[in-house]
Amino acid sequence: MISKIKYTKNVEFFLIIMISFVTASCSAKNQTEQIQNTKAAQPNILLIVADDLGFSDLGEFGGEINTPTLDGLANQGVKFSNFYAAPICSFTRSMLLSGVDNHLSGLGGFDSEGVGLGTVQVGYEGYLNFRVASIGELLQDAGYSTIMTGKWHLGLEEDQVPHSRGFEQTYVMPRGSSSHYSELAASSKIPTTIYLENGKEAVLPNDFYSTKTYTDKMIEYLKNVEDDKPFFAFASYTAPHWPLQAPDEFIEKYEGIYDSGYDEIMNVRLNKMQKLGLISEIPKDFPRSPIVANWHDLDESQKAKEAKNMAVYAAMVEAMDFHINRIIEHLRASGKLDNTLIIFMSDNGADGNDPYHIEDNVNWVPETFTTDTDSLGKPGSFTAYGPGWASVSSAPYKLYKAFSSEGGIKVPAFVVWPTEIAEKSSFESSFMTVLDVVPTLLDVAGVTYPTSTYKGRELFPLQGRSLLPYLTGKEDNLDDQYTMGWELFGRKAIRKGDWKIIDNNKPYGKSRWELYNLKSDPFEREDLSEFDPAKLSEMIEVWDQYAERNGVIQSGYADVPYSNKNEHYKR
């Protein structure tokens, strides 16, 4: 009897163990399936950034440049006519990858080398600091394969480069500019450019051309991504940043196109922009830089060089479009395109500044590069396209890179995600900024931003807001009182809703605060500061609050690069 009881209890115990094992197995299987389903549901993300591309350069934004790939993508998604970056590249990139204002995330200042002003205070370190988490880190933690090729410009030391900030496969130029055909840099202070692959110094291929090689590496890395993992790929091109260089077959397409000069090309663009619905009216006065000479005042050799400069610039843009198409076609062939969210943007406005003013470039460039008209665009040549063509690229907006006027901070941008975001033929005009990108991508991936510490580091709060609910139609509108501020070299601005104040040094501005209503005056033509002092005071208070909140060091106008001081472009 005792043995029978023992036997029964043993059977019961065995059954309990078996049931527990099966239950645990099922539970583990369900958890595995849930993880797999989550991974399957997470879309791929492709972020593409152009360097110094003007607002109206793409065909779909009014330009005459041949950009069929980007135009086609833009027409499959939502095009933004009111998207803002920072006035200069590294500032934008720090916000783009962190979702935190550049004055907090490490790029509060900028020197001629493009790596910051030193450790004046937190936010001015000159690299993407450790009080922020990069989007690469956060998505890598969420199971994404993370890839980056191209320009970094957010730090040079081993723990600051992308391979240490969340990107698994990388081929990057850590600095801000370089020749597009070789390791020869574009500034006398740092004459040689170092490229890094996965954190180690790389040897350039024999057929190196920046746009081509960055694309080659991007496709190579995409092929390495496991089929069951989503990817976050950051294609960070250096085109069309000076020195303007492009393959001959692209330059030849634009020979003679720009012989008519700035005003005629700008007029063609403005008319096209009006037809596209980007602008409701053509401004009566063309928004040219105050240092631009009239085209008819140039002699024939000057006109020829200016026309060639723009032809090479256009060729760089078309070459970039051509190579972006290679990425798109790879994703299509691999069956991954339909589940890929694509964001495209420029890092700031067109660059009308004078690279000859950087360090000793005025002497070093002609000693190191060829600068005659016939050589422009070829390997070993050097040129930039100056304020005349930059004013065209920024049309119809005022000024260009390094200024917080609309032409320096409003950039072409669009998003494509066919399965979730409906195609929209008209332009989306809501006020959006580069700070919105990280919150949007985290929302897309289903990732929560750390609220206190991250890997033992205290983080600044995330700024911006997710655009996903609005873009997918789950919300009807965005906050129309959204605030964004900008500051560089003592030039500063802030926008809240439709109102903006800006302070630019002469001759570009009035060396004091100016007030604009961008709803009625999107081209910043009518300064209302003397007519509405109450609104001006209100906006100055908004600026002061922004500056205090973000640790902005306020100073007078600095004697810095991007000032056209040596008058290289004054004719």
Side-chain angles (χ1 to χ4, degrees), residues 121-133:
Q121 65 179 39
V122 172
Y124 281 75
E125 295 89 349
Y127 58 86
L128 189 68
N129 66 28
F130 298 98
R131 291 294 304 277
V132 298

Side-chain angles (χ1 to χ4, degrees), residues 88 90-91 109-118 153 189 358-359 488-489 560-562:
I88 207 162
S90 57
F91 286 20
F110 185 93
D111 70 3
S112 61
E113 191 181 323
V115 293
L117 298 177
H153 211 190
K189 187 173 183 179
I358 297 177
E359 301 303 329
L488 173 69
F489 308 150
V560 289
Y562 303 102

